[in-house]
Amino acid sequence: MKIWRNQNSEHIVRGGITKIFPRLWRYCLVLTSDTTKADDLAQAACLRALERAHSFEAGSHFDRWLFRLTQRLWIDEIRKVAVRRGGGLSSIEEVDLMDLAPNPEQQTLNREILMGIMRLPEAQRVAILLVYVEGHSYRDAADILGIPVGTVMSRLSVARGKLVETFSDRAEVG
């Protein structure tokens, strides 16, 4: 019975990676702020997920499991190297994201909002992505990040305050 369960988990993981990959890559981009590093992290996360497919419990939330695995991978492996070497971040202007907004004004606004988010510290960027973009609850985001719910709420509050400040300053100038 245990072999069947492992095979079932492996099948779920293989299929899940295909379905969730665009979301995973976006998460990796928010973590790394660099398209090349996001590619590497997403690839490493997929490999790690396949290696650890046996630990995925069928019936649980695959996206939460994969995002948590990716978060740990980033912290344990890639982030150490980037921080120690002083690896720079790409500016948001260099990142080519497809924008499906229906009109140029909305595209411009979306780009400005994304630029504002990418200027936030990593912890706040990740919290915004998980809660506001991916739609996870505060509890789910806390589980993915391995932090208390109150910390997620605090990060979101501070990030919202900084974004409001940034965009209210721009409105006064314009």
Side-chain angles (χ1 to χ4, degrees):
M1 184 71 170
K2 188 174 185 180
I3 293 172
W4 179 83
R5 185 172 170 185
N6 287 345
Q7 290 174 342
N8 188 35
S9 293
E10 184 176 330
H11 178 72
I12 292 169
V13 169
R14 285 185 184 279
I17 288 173
T18 303
K19 291 177 186 173
I20 198 174
F21 190 80
R23 292 174 54 205
L24 172 66
W25 189 86
R26 181 175 54 207
Y27 182 63
C28 292
L29 179 62
V30 167
L31 285 173
T32 65
S33 295
D34 180 278
T35 56
T36 302
K37 290 178 185 175
D39 290 342
D40 292 344
L41 180 57
Q43 182 179 5
C46 290
L47 180 60
R48 180 72 55 92
L50 292 171
E51 291 171 348
R52 301 211 174 146
H54 65 278
S55 69
F56 176 72
E57 295 180 23
S60 62
H61 295 275
F62 178 73
D63 59 344
R64 294 179 199 165
W65 179 79
L66 185 59
F67 282 13
R68 179 70 179 144
L69 183 145
T70 304
Q71 176 76 14
R72 287 181 183 151
L73 187 61
W74 172 245
I75 290 169
D76 294 345
E77 296 176 15
I78 297 173
R79 186 174 179 194
K80 288 182 227 174
V81 174
V83 170
R84 287 188 182 141
R85 290 186 182 166
L89 302 178
S90 296
S91 71
I92 192 65
E93 292 83 8
E94 296 173 14
V95 178
D96 186 25
L97 297 175
M98 184 169 35
D99 192 347
L100 302 176
N103 61 55
E105 293 84 15
Q106 187 63 50
Q107 289 177 0
T108 301
L109 178 61
N110 291 350
R111 189 93 171 144
E112 287 178 15
I113 291 170
L114 182 59
M115 288 171 57
I117 291 170
M118 295 304 281
R119 284 188 205 102
L120 295 171
E122 176 191 324
Q124 294 170 11
R125 286 193 319 259
V126 171
I128 284 176
L129 176 87
L130 290 174
V131 174
Y132 297 133
V133 177
E134 290 295 325
H136 291 287
S137 68
Y138 292 165
R139 163 65 42 217
D140 293 342
D143 289 344
I144 290 168
L145 298 172
I147 59 175
V149 174
T151 303
V152 170
M153 294 169 65
S154 175
R155 289 177 181 177
L156 290 171
S157 177
V158 171
R160 282 190 306 262
K162 288 180 181 178
L163 290 172
V164 165
E165 185 178 304
T166 298
F167 288 103
S168 66
D169 288 347
R170 287 185 184 179
E172 292 172 7
V173 172

